[in-house]
């Protein structure tokens, strides 16, 4: 779900507040065990610039701040650990929008950027916490929008 509003007369600049929530489990199996990512929440407010204006097919580039929170379950042959994860950082976004009609549009957005705050906390043993240094964050989104 997202809200976007233009703030210039020529419709070249806008600000947006997208909010994402993922309930599905995504598993990553390896030789040593399984990592399962679930219950993720991400908010990614930012500013977008449309160099050619907003037309039937529009390209936009923007900078946003993101915050992510979720769970990671790690299962090994003889142990199970659940971590709460929190990340905060900046993201450079590229988007392509197609206005199908006056009210309906299709959007494709890809983002990449550094995550400055990366905190993993063990739910059982709160002393088993990790703060990683700068990490990279990737984002891909396809959405269908409605204009009011």
């Amino acid at each position: 779900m997202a809200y976007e509003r233009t703030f210039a007369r020529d419709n070249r600049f806008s600000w947006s507040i997208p909010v994402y929530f993922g309930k599905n489990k995504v598993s990553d199996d390896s030789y040593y065990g399984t990592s399962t990512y679930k219950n993720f929440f991400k908010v990614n407010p930012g500013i977008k610039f449309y160099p050619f204006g907003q037309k039937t097919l529009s390209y936009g580039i923007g900078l946003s701040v993101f915050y992510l929170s979720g769970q990671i379950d790690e299962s090994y042959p003889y142990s199970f650990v659940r971590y709460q994860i929190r990340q905060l950082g900046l993201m450079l976004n590229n988007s392509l929008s197609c206005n199908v009609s006056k009210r309906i549009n299709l959007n494709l957005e890809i983002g990449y950027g550094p995550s400055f705050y990366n905190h993993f906390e063990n739910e059982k043993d709160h002393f088993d916490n990790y703060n990683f240094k700068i990490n990279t964050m990737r984002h891909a989104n396809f959405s269908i929008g409605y204009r009011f």
Side-chain angles (χ1 to χ4, degrees), residues 4-7 12-16 46-48 50 54:
E4 183 174 352
R5 175 89 182 198
T6 58
F7 59 86
R12 290 185 186 246
F13 289 94
S14 69
W15 56 270
S16 64
I47 297 175
K48 203 180 280 188
Y50 296 94
Q54 292 187 27

Side-chain angles (χ1 to χ4, degrees), residues 29-98:
D29 295 325
S30 70
Y31 177 75
Y32 298 105
T34 302
S35 296
T36 304
Y37 304 86
K38 61 182 186 176
N39 299 333
F40 273 83
F41 169 78
K42 181 171 76 169
V43 63
N44 192 20
I47 297 175
K48 203 180 280 188
F49 172 63
Y50 296 94
F52 309 108
Q54 292 187 27
K55 301 176 183 174
T56 303
L57 189 62
S58 303
Y59 167 75
I61 187 167
L63 186 63
S64 62
V65 175
F66 71 87
Y67 172 75
L68 180 130
S69 176
Q71 291 177 344
I72 297 176
D73 294 342
E74 292 185 349
S75 301
Y76 300 104
Y78 301 105
S79 68
F80 173 81
V81 181
R82 175 172 285 161
Y83 290 101
Q84 284 293 115
I85 178 174
R86 289 179 198 83
Q87 291 182 301
L88 179 68
L90 296 174
M91 190 172 289
L92 180 64
N93 300 298
N94 287 293
S95 66
L96 189 61
S97 300
C98 178

Side-chain angles (χ1 to χ4, degrees), residues 92-117:
L92 180 64
N93 300 298
N94 287 293
S95 66
L96 189 61
S97 300
C98 178
N99 295 318
V100 179
S101 69
K102 186 177 179 181
R103 299 271 184 212
I104 306 292
N105 61 1
L106 302 174
N107 303 303
L108 177 64
E109 184 174 64
I110 296 173
Y112 188 79
S115 175
F116 299 112
Y117 176 74

